Amino acid sequence: MFDGIDRRLLLALQEDARRTNAELAEDVGLSMSACAKRTARLWSEGLIAGAVAILDRRRFRRPVTAMVTVTLTSPTARNSDAFVQAILRHAQVQQCHVVTGDFDFLLMIQERSIEAYHDFAMEVLGALPFVQAYKTTFVLRTWRNRDSLPGWCLEAPEPG
């Protein structure tokens, strides 16, 4: 049964997944054992898919973020699968989405320089036979970078 305490737990974990069980319990008004049981249930039910540390990309010499739209020559299941298999071999591909609209895929690429992105684009994107075209937009400044859901949409989840 998903309730307001589960919602508060998920919001607290999205804000800072490093919180200890004691801190979470205090934040949501539960005993430590009840909080641990609820958190374990949220994980086991698949409502929490993972926890990551968000690294400072500049400190790791990956300051260039490129958003790339990709159009396939023919967006068949075979070409789409081949594209995904080829593109996900490259660690600089941080996100890969199939989308609707004027293009077939949207990628987020993280690189150390524009020159390094150029090399990637020429050697990878430009070399794939089923890529008709790609268009790159460089991110100049990021005001928000999160992958979390706001509290207002954390209603009872669909059964898993």
Side-chain angles (χ1 to χ4, degrees), residues 81-90 124 128 130:
D81 289 346
F83 176 77
V84 170
Q85 286 180 8
I87 206 72
L88 293 184
R89 289 186 189 120
H90 302 277
V124 177
L128 295 172
F130 35 78

Side-chain angles (χ1 to χ4, degrees), residues 66-81:
M67 305 303 269
V68 184
T69 61
V70 179
T71 303
L72 301 181
T73 54
S74 177
T76 63
R78 177 183 236 170
N79 282 350
S80 292
D81 289 346

